Amino acid sequence: MKKRIARIVVYFGLTCLTALVLSHPYIWQSLFGPKIKGEPLWAWQQEFRARLDSQPPTLVGKLLSILKIDSKPMRWIGTFDSGDPELLPVMVSLADDGDENVRRDVAYALDNANPAGAMATLIHMLEDRSSNVRHGALSTLMHFRKKSASALPTLRALLKHADPEIQVHAAVVMGAAGELSPEARSLIQAGVKSPMVNVRRFAYQGVTEAFKGDEVIFTTLVKRAKTEPGLNERFGSLEALRHFGEKAVAPLIAMLRDPAQRGVRMLVVCTLGNIGFQAKEAIPIL
């Protein structure tokens, strides 16, 4: 009787151990898939997460943590090329990851993917609960420019978002996608004058030659180029000024002559260089 009970205990223990081993996604997917390039999908997901040293909590992960066994993401394969079309499904699978940082990194990494393959995922991420993830998706769509046209319906809805940063960023992306609606234009105009630094930073990206005749924006940019608290914002305002061409040359030359603006001299010089031949009168001062 005792031997029988011992066999049952051993059998039960082996069954539990086997179930525990198989519950790990690396083991399960190694046997049953899915696989990409011969490696389990989970291994590629870990490879992506390892860039952030981030991992969503799982039952197995929690158990390993209790047992003092390190279960952090590691470089299982050695590299993750976000521009590889075969690895796009890995990033798509992480678009709803429990870790906001992973989702945000996916949004930015999709910038290297084929726009057609990444578009549905990016549109989905525009509705993410995290503003950081939404901004990541908007930034990638901004780089895709007119290839982002299929995202326009969602972008139009974001113009009414409660967050002014999201509103202005969406308006800027709409302009890049080829649709600068009156509502989007008004948001960019208001954004340039906003007291919120991040709103201004996004709005500067939306100033193009379409605003060339806007005297209010021009005057505001000249002021902001001298007074923005951060170099990134200074650069943004100067980069926006270049779209005004020859009209921007005189105030930029004045900045070069102003000792108080010495810290941004190189940014001003770069802006004049981007204006090109129209800025030739600045040559003697350079």
Side-chain angles (χ1 to χ4, degrees), residues 130-150:
S130 164
S131 62
N132 289 329
V133 176
R134 290 195 294 268
H135 280 305
L138 286 165
S139 294
T140 295
L141 290 169
M142 174 80 173
H143 291 158
F144 287 166
R145 304 195 73 79
K146 291 190 177 180
K147 293 179 182 178
S148 299
S150 59

PDB file of all heavy atoms in Angstrom, residues 130-150:
ATOM      1  N   SER A 130      -2.337  54.802 -22.834  1.00  0.00           N
ATOM      2  CA  SER A 130      -1.172  55.593 -22.434  1.00  0.00           C
ATOM      3  C   SER A 130      -0.901  56.708 -23.443  1.00  0.00           C
ATOM      4  O   SER A 130      -0.800  56.452 -24.648  1.00  0.00           O
ATOM      5  CB  SER A 130       0.063  54.693 -22.323  1.00  0.00           C
ATOM      6  OG  SER A 130       1.250  55.454 -22.311  1.00  0.00           O
ATOM      7  N   SER A 131      -0.743  57.936 -22.953  1.00  0.00           N
ATOM      8  CA  SER A 131      -0.431  59.044 -23.856  1.00  0.00           C
ATOM      9  C   SER A 131       0.960  58.872 -24.471  1.00  0.00           C
ATOM     10  O   SER A 131       1.199  59.279 -25.607  1.00  0.00           O
ATOM     11  CB  SER A 131      -0.513  60.379 -23.108  1.00  0.00           C
ATOM     12  OG  SER A 131       0.432  60.428 -22.055  1.00  0.00           O
ATOM     13  N   ASN A 132       1.889  58.245 -23.742  1.00  0.00           N
ATOM     14  CA  ASN A 132       3.228  58.016 -24.288  1.00  0.00           C
ATOM     15  C   ASN A 132       3.185  57.102 -25.507  1.00  0.00           C
ATOM     16  O   ASN A 132       3.910  57.307 -26.482  1.00  0.00           O
ATOM     17  CB  ASN A 132       4.144  57.410 -23.223  1.00  0.00           C
ATOM     18  CG  ASN A 132       4.512  58.397 -22.143  1.00  0.00           C
ATOM     19  OD1 ASN A 132       4.607  59.593 -22.391  1.00  0.00           O
ATOM     20  ND2 ASN A 132       4.713  57.908 -20.927  1.00  0.00           N
ATOM     21  N   VAL A 133       2.327  56.090 -25.446  1.00  0.00           N
ATOM     22  CA  VAL A 133       2.179  55.160 -26.580  1.00  0.00           C
ATOM     23  C   VAL A 133       1.533  55.888 -27.754  1.00  0.00           C
ATOM     24  O   VAL A 133       1.959  55.733 -28.907  1.00  0.00           O
ATOM     25  CB  VAL A 133       1.351  53.928 -26.170  1.00  0.00           C
ATOM     26  CG1 VAL A 133       1.114  53.020 -27.383  1.00  0.00           C
ATOM     27  CG2 VAL A 133       2.056  53.155 -25.063  1.00  0.00           C
ATOM     28  N   ARG A 134       0.504  56.688 -27.478  1.00  0.00           N
ATOM     29  CA  ARG A 134      -0.160  57.429 -28.554  1.00  0.00           C
ATOM     30  C   ARG A 134       0.818  58.395 -29.230  1.00  0.00           C
ATOM     31  O   ARG A 134       0.838  58.512 -30.461  1.00  0.00           O
ATOM     32  CB  ARG A 134      -1.372  58.195 -27.996  1.00  0.00           C
ATOM     33  CG  ARG A 134      -2.532  57.303 -27.582  1.00  0.00           C
ATOM     34  CD  ARG A 134      -3.804  58.117 -27.395  1.00  0.00           C
ATOM     35  NE  ARG A 134      -3.690  59.036 -26.282  1.00  0.00           N
ATOM     36  CZ  ARG A 134      -4.055  58.771 -25.033  1.00  0.00           C
ATOM     37  NH1 ARG A 134      -4.558  57.578 -24.743  1.00  0.00           N
ATOM     38  NH2 ARG A 134      -3.934  59.675 -24.077  1.00  0.00           N
ATOM     39  N   HIS A 135       1.637  59.077 -28.435  1.00  0.00           N
ATOM     40  CA  HIS A 135       2.623  59.987 -29.021  1.00  0.00           C
ATOM     41  C   HIS A 135       3.644  59.210 -29.860  1.00  0.00           C
ATOM     42  O   HIS A 135       4.082  59.699 -30.908  1.00  0.00           O
ATOM     43  CB  HIS A 135       3.340  60.771 -27.930  1.00  0.00           C
ATOM     44  CG  HIS A 135       2.554  61.931 -27.403  1.00  0.00           C
ATOM     45  ND1 HIS A 135       2.065  62.928 -28.229  1.00  0.00           N
ATOM     46  CD2 HIS A 135       2.167  62.251 -26.135  1.00  0.00           C
ATOM     47  CE1 HIS A 135       1.415  63.819 -27.494  1.00  0.00           C
ATOM     48  NE2 HIS A 135       1.451  63.428 -26.233  1.00  0.00           N
ATOM     49  N   GLY A 136       4.012  58.018 -29.408  1.00  0.00           N
ATOM     50  CA  GLY A 136       4.935  57.196 -30.192  1.00  0.00           C
ATOM     51  C   GLY A 136       4.344  56.827 -31.542  1.00  0.00           C
ATOM     52  O   GLY A 136       5.012  56.915 -32.580  1.00  0.00           O
ATOM     53  N   ALA A 137       3.067  56.428 -31.533  1.00  0.00           N
ATOM     54  CA  ALA A 137       2.391  56.080 -32.789  1.00  0.00           C
ATOM     55  C   ALA A 137       2.260  57.309 -33.693  1.00  0.00           C
ATOM     56  O   ALA A 137       2.471  57.222 -34.913  1.00  0.00           O
ATOM     57  CB  ALA A 137       1.015  55.488 -32.490  1.00  0.00           C
ATOM     58  N   LEU A 138       1.954  58.459 -33.103  1.00  0.00           N
ATOM     59  CA  LEU A 138       1.829  59.693 -33.886  1.00  0.00           C
ATOM     60  C   LEU A 138       3.171  60.086 -34.506  1.00  0.00           C
ATOM     61  O   LEU A 138       3.223  60.509 -35.666  1.00  0.00           O
ATOM     62  CB  LEU A 138       1.308  60.825 -33.003  1.00  0.00           C
ATOM     63  CG  LEU A 138      -0.184  60.759 -32.638  1.00  0.00           C
ATOM     64  CD1 LEU A 138      -0.514  61.705 -31.490  1.00  0.00           C
ATOM     65  CD2 LEU A 138      -1.046  61.068 -33.857  1.00  0.00           C
ATOM     66  N   SER A 139       4.243  59.928 -33.760  1.00  0.00           N
ATOM     67  CA  SER A 139       5.571  60.269 -34.293  1.00  0.00           C
ATOM     68  C   SER A 139       5.927  59.394 -35.485  1.00  0.00           C
ATOM     69  O   SER A 139       6.489  59.864 -36.482  1.00  0.00           O
ATOM     70  CB  SER A 139       6.632  60.124 -33.191  1.00  0.00           C
ATOM     71  OG  SER A 139       6.433  61.079 -32.169  1.00  0.00           O
ATOM     72  N   THR A 140       5.604  58.107 -35.389  1.00  0.00           N
ATOM     73  CA  THR A 140       5.900  57.199 -36.502  1.00  0.00           C
ATOM     74  C   THR A 140       5.038  57.541 -37.713  1.00  0.00           C
ATOM     75  O   THR A 140       5.524  57.565 -38.851  1.00  0.00           O
ATOM     76  CB  THR A 140       5.665  55.740 -36.068  1.00  0.00           C
ATOM     77  OG1 THR A 140       6.619  55.412 -35.042  1.00  0.00           O
ATOM     78  CG2 THR A 140       5.846  54.777 -37.231  1.00  0.00           C
ATOM     79  N   LEU A 141       3.767  57.818 -37.490  1.00  0.00           N
ATOM     80  CA  LEU A 141       2.888  58.218 -38.593  1.00  0.00           C
ATOM     81  C   LEU A 141       3.365  59.519 -39.228  1.00  0.00           C
ATOM     82  O   LEU A 141       3.246  59.709 -40.448  1.00  0.00           O
ATOM     83  CB  LEU A 141       1.455  58.379 -38.089  1.00  0.00           C
ATOM     84  CG  LEU A 141       0.726  57.078 -37.705  1.00  0.00           C
ATOM     85  CD1 LEU A 141      -0.568  57.382 -36.967  1.00  0.00           C
ATOM     86  CD2 LEU A 141       0.450  56.227 -38.941  1.00  0.00           C
ATOM     87  N   MET A 142       3.920  60.405 -38.426  1.00  0.00           N
ATOM     88  CA  MET A 142       4.473  61.660 -38.944  1.00  0.00           C
ATOM     89  C   MET A 142       5.576  61.383 -39.958  1.00  0.00           C
ATOM     90  O   MET A 142       5.662  62.006 -41.013  1.00  0.00           O
ATOM     91  CB  MET A 142       5.023  62.479 -37.770  1.00  0.00           C
ATOM     92  CG  MET A 142       5.747  63.744 -38.179  1.00  0.00           C
ATOM     93  SD  MET A 142       4.608  65.064 -38.570  1.00  0.00           S
ATOM     94  CE  MET A 142       5.744  66.435 -38.785  1.00  0.00           C
ATOM     95  N   HIS A 143       6.422  60.399 -39.655  1.00  0.00           N
ATOM     96  CA  HIS A 143       7.518  60.052 -40.562  1.00  0.00           C
ATOM     97  C   HIS A 143       7.010  59.373 -41.832  1.00  0.00           C
ATOM     98  O   HIS A 143       7.639  59.470 -42.887  1.00  0.00           O
ATOM     99  CB  HIS A 143       8.508  59.128 -39.851  1.00  0.00           C
ATOM    100  CG  HIS A 143       9.272  59.825 -38.760  1.00  0.00           C
ATOM    101  ND1 HIS A 143       9.864  59.151 -37.712  1.00  0.00           N
ATOM    102  CD2 HIS A 143       9.523  61.140 -38.542  1.00  0.00           C
ATOM    103  CE1 HIS A 143      10.457  60.026 -36.914  1.00  0.00           C
ATOM    104  NE2 HIS A 143      10.256  61.231 -37.397  1.00  0.00           N
ATOM    105  N   PHE A 144       5.871  58.686 -41.719  1.00  0.00           N
ATOM    106  CA  PHE A 144       5.299  58.024 -42.902  1.00  0.00           C
ATOM    107  C   PHE A 144       4.623  59.021 -43.846  1.00  0.00           C
ATOM    108  O   PHE A 144       4.292  58.700 -44.973  1.00  0.00           O
ATOM    109  CB  PHE A 144       4.285  56.956 -42.477  1.00  0.00           C
ATOM    110  CG  PHE A 144       4.904  55.719 -41.882  1.00  0.00           C
ATOM    111  CD1 PHE A 144       4.128  54.805 -41.190  1.00  0.00           C
ATOM    112  CD2 PHE A 144       6.262  55.475 -42.015  1.00  0.00           C
ATOM    113  CE1 PHE A 144       4.690  53.656 -40.644  1.00  0.00           C
ATOM    114  CE2 PHE A 144       6.830  54.333 -41.476  1.00  0.00           C
ATOM    115  CZ  PHE A 144       6.048  53.424 -40.786  1.00  0.00           C
ATOM    116  N   ARG A 145       4.326  60.213 -43.311  1.00  0.00           N
ATOM    117  CA  ARG A 145       3.759  61.306 -44.090  1.00  0.00           C
ATOM    118  C   ARG A 145       2.514  60.855 -44.872  1.00  0.00           C
ATOM    119  O   ARG A 145       1.589  60.320 -44.294  1.00  0.00           O
ATOM    120  CB  ARG A 145       4.830  61.928 -44.999  1.00  0.00           C
ATOM    121  CG  ARG A 145       6.063  62.415 -44.191  1.00  0.00           C
ATOM    122  CD  ARG A 145       6.951  63.318 -44.957  1.00  0.00           C
ATOM    123  NE  ARG A 145       6.353  64.626 -45.138  1.00  0.00           N
ATOM    124  CZ  ARG A 145       6.331  65.579 -44.191  1.00  0.00           C
ATOM    125  NH1 ARG A 145       6.843  65.364 -42.998  1.00  0.00           N
ATOM    126  NH2 ARG A 145       5.761  66.750 -44.448  1.00  0.00           N
ATOM    127  N   LYS A 146       2.486  61.017 -46.190  1.00  0.00           N
ATOM    128  CA  LYS A 146       1.264  60.738 -46.952  1.00  0.00           C
ATOM    129  C   LYS A 146       0.908  59.252 -46.980  1.00  0.00           C
ATOM    130  O   LYS A 146      -0.222  58.892 -47.325  1.00  0.00           O
ATOM    131  CB  LYS A 146       1.397  61.284 -48.370  1.00  0.00           C
ATOM    132  CG  LYS A 146       1.414  62.808 -48.411  1.00  0.00           C
ATOM    133  CD  LYS A 146       1.315  63.360 -49.826  1.00  0.00           C
ATOM    134  CE  LYS A 146       1.254  64.881 -49.809  1.00  0.00           C
ATOM    135  NZ  LYS A 146       1.156  65.462 -51.153  1.00  0.00           N
ATOM    136  N   LYS A 147       1.841  58.403 -46.584  1.00  0.00           N
ATOM    137  CA  LYS A 147       1.530  56.979 -46.482  1.00  0.00           C
ATOM    138  C   LYS A 147       0.650  56.700 -45.265  1.00  0.00           C
ATOM    139  O   LYS A 147       0.191  55.579 -45.071  1.00  0.00           O
ATOM    140  CB  LYS A 147       2.815  56.170 -46.404  1.00  0.00           C
ATOM    141  CG  LYS A 147       3.646  56.217 -47.691  1.00  0.00           C
ATOM    142  CD  LYS A 147       4.931  55.434 -47.568  1.00  0.00           C
ATOM    143  CE  LYS A 147       5.757  55.530 -48.854  1.00  0.00           C
ATOM    144  NZ  LYS A 147       7.044  54.809 -48.736  1.00  0.00           N
ATOM    145  N   SER A 148       0.436  57.736 -44.430  1.00  0.00           N
ATOM    146  CA  SER A 148      -0.416  57.598 -43.248  1.00  0.00           C
ATOM    147  C   SER A 148      -1.873  57.966 -43.534  1.00  0.00           C
ATOM    148  O   SER A 148      -2.666  58.116 -42.603  1.00  0.00           O
ATOM    149  CB  SER A 148       0.111  58.497 -42.117  1.00  0.00           C
ATOM    150  OG  SER A 148       1.414  58.129 -41.742  1.00  0.00           O
ATOM    151  N   ALA A 149      -2.224  58.122 -44.792  1.00  0.00           N
ATOM    152  CA  ALA A 149      -3.568  58.600 -45.156  1.00  0.00           C
ATOM    153  C   ALA A 149      -4.679  57.743 -44.560  1.00  0.00           C
ATOM    154  O   ALA A 149      -5.737  58.262 -44.184  1.00  0.00           O
ATOM    155  CB  ALA A 149      -3.703  58.670 -46.674  1.00  0.00           C
ATOM    156  N   SER A 150      -4.459  56.441 -44.442  1.00  0.00           N
ATOM    157  CA  SER A 150      -5.516  55.568 -43.911  1.00  0.00           C
ATOM    158  C   SER A 150      -5.783  55.822 -42.428  1.00  0.00           C
ATOM    159  O   SER A 150      -6.806  55.381 -41.894  1.00  0.00           O
ATOM    160  CB  SER A 150      -5.156  54.094 -44.127  1.00  0.00           C
ATOM    161  OG  SER A 150      -3.931  53.771 -43.488  1.00  0.00           O
TER     162      SER A 150
END
